[in-house]
Amino acid sequence: MATVTEENHGAVDNPATDEARWRDDPHLAKVPQVHPETLVSPDSRAVIVAPHPDDEVLGCAGLLMHLARSGHRILLIAVSDGERSHGSESSFSSGLLSQLRPAETSAALHALGIADISIMRAELPDSRVGEHQRKLQDLLGAYLQRGDTVFASWHRDGHPDHEAVGMASRDAARATGCRLIEIPIWMWHWRTPDHPDIPWQRARKLTLDDDMQARKKAALECYRSQLEPDHSTGNPAILPPEVLAHFHRDFEIYFV
């Protein structure tokens, strides 16, 4: 997840939504549960398309653990290196972040207990993925195989990179005969449960056991660049506790 700043053209300008509002809302409570093999059949490869380093853990750490435990093939396509998360005035330069944030993903995957995973780094520019949406679609088309199950950020997620990834993944999946499942990430922070864009009828709930919840929290702790305040600028953490609360649940939501 990259911060939505003036520099990276955030598309949503609503107040943040507290996790308690989601927890108490009947829409979320009524979402039916889904089995991992309903999301990804035993003979299907899972392809995770992550806009930024950390989105793969925020959105689908539980799914990744389920897939790894059942021996599924997994390909992670890292669209950007998240190099613009802190802005030009920060001591966290784009060059530093382009090395640091992918390393945080590696540590996070280790914390999840996931070793057998292929990673392809597209190295598209953070905060400008929309300018390269066709390039991303073509790249996905080159890597996707018929029968893959593609997981990508929701195309109405409220962050321009996330939405571009969602649309490119949708078009590439259609062209290659793959199934697409979308993952809401920024939605939890910027939308409200009654927002008309949310496709509750498509939502499915994947349960995480106690061990998975603990591992997901440990994996999120690996993203120190996003969790700590930027002392060089005085800016707060990009992933403060009120944002992390959306991802400390005992379930994950997928739009199928």
Side-chain angles (χ1 to χ4, degrees):
M1 177 186 284
T3 186
V4 176
T5 65
E6 187 176 310
E7 187 169 5
N8 62 23
H9 313 296
V12 179
D13 197 23
N14 299 324
T17 303
D18 189 88
E19 172 63 10
R21 184 168 180 185
W22 292 104
R23 185 179 62 241
D24 297 337
D25 190 84
H27 290 95
L28 189 57
K30 293 176 182 177
V31 172
Q33 293 191 13
V34 67
H35 191 276
E37 289 193 1
T38 302
L39 294 175
V40 187
S41 63
D43 58 347
S44 179
R45 182 179 65 162
V47 179
I48 314 298
V49 189
H52 313 99
D54 73 12
D55 287 321
E56 65 284 318
V57 173
L58 291 165
C60 60
L63 174 70
L64 287 170
M65 287 183 280
H66 277 295
L67 295 174
R69 292 178 183 183
S70 58
H72 274 86
R73 294 170 296 145
I74 308 171
L75 171 63
L76 169 62
I77 296 180
V79 175
S80 82
D81 290 334
E83 70 276 5
R84 295 186 70 193
S85 64
H86 283 65
S88 58
E89 302 302 316
S90 174
S91 61
F92 284 91
S93 66
S94 60
L96 173 61
L97 287 165
S98 68
Q99 300 299 314
L100 179 59
R101 296 195 66 189
E104 291 173 338
T105 288
S106 296
L109 292 173
H110 179 76
L112 295 176
I114 298 171
D116 190 11
I117 182 171
S118 300
I119 301 177
M120 195 286 293
R121 299 203 172 280
E123 298 182 335
L124 295 184
D126 182 16
S127 83
R128 293 169 50 203
V129 175
E131 299 174 25
H132 302 270
Q133 186 173 315
R134 181 65 203 206
K135 181 178 179 180
L136 176 58
Q137 182 182 335
D138 292 343
L139 181 149
L140 292 172
Y143 275 85
L144 293 180
Q145 304 167 6
R146 184 173 293 275
D148 285 346
T149 303
V150 181
F151 293 84
S153 47
W154 181 38
H155 73 283
R156 302 298 298 273
D157 205 34
H159 185 294
D161 283 353
H162 287 221
E163 295 187 355
V165 166
M167 289 185 284
S169 299
R170 176 196 61 195
D171 293 342
R174 286 175 178 170
T176 53
C178 298
R179 182 186 185 196
L180 175 68
I181 295 176
E182 295 182 290
I183 308 172
I185 300 175
W186 266 104
M187 183 192 86
W188 305 114
H189 193 55
W190 295 119
R191 306 292 190 195
T192 57
D194 58 353
H195 196 284
D197 283 351
I198 299 177
W200 286 114
Q201 72 282 2
R202 293 173 48 207
R204 297 295 182 271
K205 184 181 296 182
L206 181 68
T207 301
L208 280 60
D209 62 29
D210 290 343
D211 178 65
M212 288 179 170
Q213 292 175 62
R215 285 182 176 270
K216 182 169 183 174
K217 288 182 179 180
L220 290 172
E221 286 293 321
C222 294
Y223 295 101
R224 302 312 305 174
S225 69
Q226 310 299 292
L227 297 176
E228 297 175 354
D230 184 352
H231 297 296
S232 67
T233 61
N235 290 331
I238 292 164
L239 293 176
E242 61 268 24
V243 172
L244 286 175
H246 302 310
F247 306 101
H248 286 167
R249 302 164 173 167
D250 62 356
F251 61 86
E252 294 170 345
I253 296 295
Y254 297 88
F255 295 149
V256 302

